[in-house]
Amino acid sequence: MRITRQILGGTAGVAVLCMVGFVANPDAVKDLGRRLSTGAALLEQAEGISQQVQNHKVVLAAVETKEKKAVSALSAGQEAEARLHFDSAEYFYDAAVRAAQRSLQRDPTSDAAMEERLRAGVALGAFWYHRGHMDKAEKVLKEAEVNSKSSTLSLLLAEAERFEVLGNIYRDMGRYKEARRQYESAEHLLGRS
């Protein structure tokens, strides 16, 4: 019996034992296969985590710039969610809410700052709603409310979207009267636009 060992380089860099001219014990082969599968799965998971760290670094750099902090993080959250990277999406949506809140604190009368805060809150609230976390979604959406005397179209649409998601949450929770009030508020705003 002769055993030849070779290191085969692959994308994951997994060392593979190649047996030539050797009749192996079936249990040993199963065990080896299980260990190789586990190792490959761990390497794949590590690559995914590495990619998430890279995503965080790239977007964090964009968020830390002076211009459009909330919009950059919001876009990154949407992109991460579209790619099913939910941990990254949560991180970026939360960063968008924090950045928008800081903008609103600097200029509480700015329609642009109010809209950024509202859109970031709606995105985070909708994210939690779609993940099935109704309490978190409701809290975030209630906190996203802005008190604007303005009636710009984009602000009205964002506020209507907030009411719609809140209505969906209440409907799914069986709180139909509250859901109806939210839907009617959304319709009222859309009628004004």
Side-chain angles (χ1 to χ4, degrees), residues 19-190:
M19 293 173 267
V20 178
F22 179 73
V23 179
N25 177 340
D27 291 332
V29 172
K30 286 180 187 175
D31 185 52
L32 177 62
R34 197 171 27 255
R35 284 186 288 165
L36 289 175
S37 294
T38 301
L42 289 173
L43 286 172
E44 188 175 306
Q45 186 179 16
E47 288 172 354
I49 290 170
S50 175
Q51 183 61 43
Q52 283 182 347
V53 169
Q54 280 303 100
N55 290 345
H56 284 326
K57 286 180 182 177
V58 168
V59 176
L60 190 56
V63 171
E64 289 175 348
T65 61
K66 297 241 185 245
E67 298 177 25
K68 296 291 184 184
K69 293 177 185 179
V71 174
S72 297
L74 185 58
S75 297
Q78 291 165 339
E79 179 67 24
E81 187 174 9
R83 293 176 182 232
L84 306 178
H85 296 285
F86 299 123
D87 288 341
S88 295
E90 176 189 353
Y91 171 83
F92 293 128
Y93 285 143
D94 192 54
V97 168
R98 287 191 316 269
Q101 191 61 40
R102 285 190 300 271
S103 293
L104 192 56
Q105 286 171 347
R106 281 192 298 275
D107 189 359
T109 60
S110 167
D111 284 344
M114 284 185 228
E115 184 181 343
E116 281 180 12
R117 173 62 182 100
L118 185 55
R119 288 203 178 280
V122 169
L124 182 58
F127 171 80
W128 284 123
Y129 167 69
H130 293 296
R131 305 280 90 61
H133 298 276
M134 303 302 176
D135 292 336
K136 285 182 182 181
E138 179 185 18
K139 180 179 184 257
V140 167
L141 287 164
K142 284 184 173 183
E143 290 172 354
E145 183 177 9
V146 293
N147 295 317
S148 173
K149 303 293 184 229
S150 173
S151 60
T152 64
L153 179 60
S154 58
L155 198 57
L156 289 174
L157 292 174
E159 185 67 8
E161 185 179 1
R162 185 181 78 84
F163 284 126
E164 180 186 4
V165 176
L166 270 170
N168 293 343
I169 290 167
Y170 293 141
R171 181 197 65 218
D172 290 355
M173 295 172 83
R175 295 162 53 184
Y176 300 112
K177 287 182 183 178
E178 291 174 83
R180 182 181 182 136
R181 275 196 299 271
Q182 299 302 317
Y183 291 141
E184 288 171 349
S185 296
E187 274 185 7
H188 175 73
L189 285 176
L190 293 174

